[in-house]
Amino acid sequence: MDAVSRMLDFHGDALRLRAERQRTLASNIANADTPGYQARDFDFAKALKEATGIPGAAPGTLKATDTRHLGATGGASTVSLAYRTPHQASLDGNTVEVDAERARFAENTVRYEATLRFMNGQIQSLLSAMKGQ
Amino acid sequence: MTIGRIFGIAGSAIQAQSMRLNTTASNLANAESVTGPDGKVYRPKQVVFAAQPMGEANDPSATGVKVKEVIEDTTEPRKVHSPGHPYADEQGMVTMPAVNVVEEMVNMISASRAYQNNVEILSTTKSLLEKTLQLGN
């Protein structure tokens, strides 16, 4: 059963990080007109490597000291966010470029859906293996 | 649920932008009104946005918007020469609000675009959430 759950772990982590990036980009777009707001983002590939690497090694996660401990990934963000460097700085200190953020948001949406499809495919494979038809 | 908080973020932005649209509307509506309800000339109003952390403390990935304050424009009201006007002073000048109609129109377009952007974010998020709920079907 462990192998089965681990099979979905990778895409589960990817989905969580995609949702987190979606939220970060939504915050940027929401604050497009806030003076002094600094746009944020994170490196998805790096975050995924950290999340799927050695358990407990990623910063901000709890270490399982017993085999019966469950992994604790609460609602809080565990990725390290960076500040965006604007191509055209604005006078009020806001570094959000709405068009670029919208493009990233659309890209992230497609990739989120792709991850959902991968998961769906794996679930379908598992189901057909269980049914033995 | 990480993706569910987007509704709060985009919702706060929609609320803030609609407040900005409201102030623009009242500025434009009062562009020609000589006296305000308090007997003084109308002062144009502007909203001030501020970032507002949502959800867990010190989680910068969820930041909404709030209207920190509504400020009154301190620009001197403009004087228009109109001796026949009932509110004209001894020199025949009437005090009009310092509403810059062009500026207000630009503000209105900017606010409505930002509003639309956030509505789009909401509908995208809604469809993503629906697809996530159907996972495994």
Side-chain angles (χ1 to χ4, degrees):
Chain A
M1 203 58 209
D2 197 34
V4 173
S5 67
R6 217 179 301 137
M7 197 174 158
L8 289 167
D9 263 5
F10 177 78
H11 287 302
D13 278 333
L15 201 67
R16 184 177 58 81
L17 286 170
R18 283 282 166 218
E20 216 150 283
R21 182 149 192 250
Q22 193 84 344
R23 200 177 59 182
T24 313
L25 294 175
S27 297
N28 287 348
I29 294 169
N31 282 288
D33 291 321
T34 309
Y37 178 82
Q38 310 257 301
R40 289 179 167 98
D41 201 355
F42 62 87
D43 186 349
F44 181 82
K46 219 175 97 190
L48 186 61
K49 253 180 217 156
E50 269 172 24
T52 54
I54 316 134
T61 54
L62 294 176
K63 196 182 269 178
T65 50
D66 191 292
T67 46
R68 286 167 295 176
H69 284 169
L70 292 171
T73 44
S77 163
T78 50
V79 294
S80 48
L81 293 174
Y83 291 107
R84 173 120 43 234
T85 316
H87 294 105
Q88 300 175 73
S90 74
L91 213 56
D92 63 356
N94 186 301
T95 60
V96 180
E97 282 160 334
V98 184
D99 40 4
E101 297 295 337
R102 277 301 299 267
R104 287 189 196 99
F105 190 84
E107 187 219 347
N108 200 58
T109 305
V110 173
R111 288 184 190 273
Y112 185 96
E113 282 188 39
T115 306
L116 274 182
R117 286 202 186 192
F118 291 143
M119 282 189 99
N120 258 329
Q122 284 189 333
I123 291 168
Q124 292 304 329
S125 315
L126 284 172
L127 278 177
S128 61
M130 285 172 190
K131 280 175 188 162
Q133 284 163 348
Chain B
M1 190 166 57
T2 38
I3 206 164
R5 209 165 290 141
I6 296 179
F7 291 108
I9 297 166
S12 74
I14 285 176
Q15 205 177 355
Q17 295 293 349
S18 84
M19 200 155 167
R20 184 171 164 207
L21 269 178
N22 264 332
T23 48
T24 305
S26 60
N27 287 350
L28 281 175
N30 285 293
E32 300 296 325
S33 49
V34 179
T35 43
D38 49 357
K40 286 186 219 145
V41 71
Y42 176 82
R43 294 263 182 198
K45 285 155 186 64
Q46 303 291 346
V47 290
V48 181
F49 288 166
Q52 184 189 32
M54 322 261 295
E56 284 92 356
N58 303 322
D59 182 7
S61 76
T63 314
V65 202
K66 66 168 180 203
V67 176
K68 199 170 74 180
E69 54 178 336
V70 180
I71 53 164
E72 286 204 339
D73 203 327
T74 49
T75 318
E76 273 301 299
R78 64 200 160 94
K79 303 260 188 191
V80 178
H81 186 68
S82 174
H85 199 282
Y87 291 114
D89 57 12
E90 299 87 60
Q91 282 90 41
M93 303 300 268
V94 179
T95 315
M96 304 284 269
V99 176
N100 188 335
V101 179
V102 179
E103 217 170 80
E104 294 300 334
M105 289 302 283
V106 172
N107 228 336
M108 186 188 81
I109 294 167
S110 169
S112 75
R113 289 285 179 272
Y115 191 101
Q116 284 170 9
N117 259 339
N118 283 291
V119 171
E120 201 70 35
I121 301 290
L122 274 189
S123 68
T124 307
T125 308
K126 182 170 162 267
S127 77
L128 273 189
L129 203 54
E130 274 168 2
K131 280 173 189 159
T132 313
L133 286 173
Q134 284 164 7
L135 194 65
N137 268 355

